[in-house]
């Protein structure tokens, strides 16, 4: 005859083989289920108040120490099942998230790599940035660390080899509106990480900051686009001395990497001259079919300078788009900068002694 005993919690008498021992006491199945849970990791049973429960995962406190959150979706994952984009990276990913983001962090691409563009922001004028950084190494691990910051939510950035650099790489963004660059693109975190990793840009004579603008922003037809581009070239030539100071380049550097076309009496004459000298290493490169490229700016890892440079290019495009040839010819530098209202641009113009004779102290470039 089977022995029967009372459940420690509810007192119901049950056959001994229907009771279960927990911490030295016998419980019926209903009470055991009510009072305890099983750890999904080690399989042992614990009191409900002695475990960590999150979503559909139950862990004893000891096993919880072996779990961490996926950096993308926030789900708890065992440390042995986390994936990292590079050695030494603190951000781990679950299987699903790793598969989704890994393609964005594939290391340094070749110089000729050119993915299909992804356009970010609402508008018709888009800016693609090429920022060269040097002296910190050309290796996939460091590239991935920078891309893991830039591409947390979207594929904003890829990184390419550049033979003009000594020991660095080129950061290239997908096309974005100015507002997207200012408010959504994590430029501050990107440059901070590059500095932390030992990179320089302004302090290296090798580095440039190039900005592409889509030709379609200047008109629907080639004729309309060329009228605006002609005025852009005229402004650059007319304000050459001021833009040279703005660029932070020396005259020799400008001549080597971004030489001028030559000043003419009207916008069309500058464009006609440029068409006879289609070369990549010009102040405004016209050799690309879908963009024009502003090449005159020296590289930098100073956040305000990057934003101010984007705003300057936008200002040049804006003025060239809305003013006539005659109005452009009459526009002095003082007139031009008096219309600059963006705070980052105004700050930078003051630092470079280019804003209505109102200089301010300038923090060092990096």
């Amino acid at each position: 005859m089977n022995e029967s005993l009372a459940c420690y919690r509810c007192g119901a008498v049950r056959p001994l083989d229907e009771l279960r021992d927990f911490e030295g006491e016998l419980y019926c199945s209903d009470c055991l289920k009510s009072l305890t849970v099983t750890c999904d990791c080690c399989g042992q049973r614990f009191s409900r108040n002695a475990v960590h429960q999150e979503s559909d995962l139950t862990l004893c406190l000891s096993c919880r120490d072996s779990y961490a959150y996926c950096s993308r979706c926030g789900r708890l994952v065992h440390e042995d099942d986390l994936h990292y984009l590079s050695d030494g990276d603190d951000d781990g990913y679950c299987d699903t998230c790793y598969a989704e983001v890994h393609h964005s962090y594939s290391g340094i691409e070749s110089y000729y790599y050119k993915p299909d563009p992804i356009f970010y922001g609402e508008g018709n004028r888009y800016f693609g940035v090429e920022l060269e950084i040097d002296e910190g190494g050309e290796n996939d691990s460091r590239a991935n660390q920078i891309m893991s910051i830039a591409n947390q939510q979207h594929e904003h950035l890829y990184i390419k080899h550049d033979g003009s650099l000594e020991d660095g790489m080129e950061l290239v963004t997908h096309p974005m509106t100015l507002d997207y660059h200012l408010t959504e693109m994590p430029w501050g975190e990107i440059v901070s990480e590059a500095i932390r990793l030992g990179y320089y840009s302004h302090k290296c004579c090798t580095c440039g900051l190039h900005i592409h603008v889509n030709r379609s922003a200047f008109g629907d037809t080639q004729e309309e686009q060329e009228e605006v581009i002609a005025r852009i070239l005229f402004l650059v030539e007319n304000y050459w001395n001021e833009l040279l100071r703005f660029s932070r380049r020396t005259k020799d550097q400008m001549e080597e990497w971004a030489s001028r076309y030559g000043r003419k009496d009207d916008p069309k004459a500058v464009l006609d001259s440029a068409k006879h000298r289609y070369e990549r290493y010009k102040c405004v490169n016209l050799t690309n079919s879908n963009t024009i490229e502003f090449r005159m700016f020296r590289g930098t890892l100073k956040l305000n300078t990057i934003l101010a440079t984007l705003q300057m290019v936008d200002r040049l495009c804006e003025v060239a788009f809305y003013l006539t040839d005659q109005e452009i010819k009459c526009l002095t530098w003082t007139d031009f900068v008096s219309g600059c209202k963006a705070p980052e641009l105004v700050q930078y113009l003051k630092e470079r002694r280019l804003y209505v004779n109102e200089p301010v102290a300038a923090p060092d470039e990096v």
Side-chain angles (χ1 to χ4, degrees), residues 110-125:
S110 75
Y111 175 77
Y112 300 100
Y113 177 73
K114 190 173 183 180
D116 291 335
I118 304 171
F119 292 85
Y120 292 100
E122 297 295 327
N124 68 339
R125 189 182 302 156

Side-chain angles (χ1 to χ4, degrees), residues 36-172:
T36 67
V37 290
T38 301
C39 174
D40 291 326
C41 181
C42 66
Q44 297 185 46
R45 188 169 290 279
F46 295 88
S47 297
R48 287 187 176 274
N49 59 4
V51 297
H52 179 92
Q53 292 184 293
E54 187 168 333
S55 299
D56 58 349
L57 194 62
T58 299
L59 300 170
C60 69
L61 300 185
S62 177
C63 290
R64 172 63 181 84
D65 292 338
S66 299
Y67 280 69
Y69 292 104
C70 170
S71 298
R72 187 167 185 263
C73 70
R75 186 168 65 87
L76 269 179
V77 181
H78 194 279
E79 58 187 12
D80 292 341
D81 296 325
L82 284 171
H83 305 278
Y84 296 89
L85 295 171
S86 60
D87 294 338
D89 194 353
D90 292 332
D91 294 328
Y93 298 89
C94 67
D95 290 340
T96 301
C97 290
Y98 181 75
E100 291 178 357
V101 302
H102 182 255
H103 74 282
S104 298
Y105 314 126
S106 54
I108 300 173
E109 305 287 353
S110 75
Y111 175 77
Y112 300 100
Y113 177 73
K114 190 173 183 180
D116 291 335
I118 304 171
F119 292 85
Y120 292 100
E122 297 295 327
N124 68 339
R125 189 182 302 156
Y126 290 87
F127 303 87
V129 173
E130 298 172 351
L131 173 59
E132 296 165 347
I133 59 177
D134 211 344
E135 298 189 12
E138 183 183 10
N139 61 74
D140 288 344
S141 176
R142 293 194 167 194
N144 285 334
Q145 285 176 259
I146 292 174
M147 284 191 287
S148 68
I149 292 172
N151 297 342
Q152 288 185 37
Q153 302 298 325
H154 303 285
E155 186 182 340
H156 290 138
L157 181 87
Y158 53 96
I159 296 182
K160 296 168 53 174
H161 165 79
D162 191 318
S164 68
L165 305 176
E166 295 177 358
D167 194 20
M169 49 199 179
E170 182 181 49
L171 315 185
V172 185

Side-chain angles (χ1 to χ4, degrees), residues 161-214:
H161 165 79
D162 191 318
S164 68
L165 305 176
E166 295 177 358
D167 194 20
M169 49 199 179
E170 182 181 49
L171 315 185
V172 185
T173 75
H174 284 279
M176 305 170 184
T177 62
L178 177 62
D179 182 66
Y180 196 96
H181 274 290
L182 296 175
T183 62
E184 300 294 333
M185 181 64 175
W187 277 116
E189 293 87 345
I190 291 169
V191 297
S192 293
E193 180 67 5
I195 293 169
R196 188 188 71 80
L197 292 172
Y199 289 96
Y200 296 95
S201 190
H202 172 88
K203 291 183 178 180
C204 304
C205 62
T206 54
C207 295
L209 170 60
H210 306 154
I211 299 176
H212 287 259
V213 184
N214 56 306

